[in-house]
Structures are given as C-alpha cells and as structure tokens.
Amino acid sequence: MNHIPALWGAAYGSQTPRFCRFLARRVVHFAAFVRALALAGHHPSTSL
C-alpha cells in the first residue's frame, strides 16, 4: 500500500472523525490501485 503522509494520519489516526477516516482510506487504496496499474504496464508478465 502507498504511504502518503498527508493522508496516512487522517486515514489511520484515532483523533480523525469517522467519515474523514473512511474517505482518506478510500483515497489511499485508490492510489495503491493506480500505482499497481502503472507498474503492470511496465511489466508484461504482471497481471492484476
């Protein structure tokens, strides 16, 4: 998973409101998905 410092604290911090944590986790997971797609394009044998 990507470690995005600005979002990481919001996504997994205990002081952040529940809805903000949910949104931040979705963005972190989406960023990891986009990164996996980008890497898959550079390795022809890789599949998702």
Side-chain angles (χ1 to χ4, degrees), residues 13-31:
S14 61
Q15 300 299 323
T16 308
R18 182 175 289 206
F19 184 69
C20 290
R21 278 194 318 239
F22 173 77
L23 289 179
R25 287 179 186 179
R26 294 298 105 207
V27 172
V28 168
H29 290 202
F30 180 72

Side-chain angles (χ1 to χ4, degrees), residues 39-47:
L39 290 175
H42 294 289
H43 301 287
S45 62
T46 304
S47 63

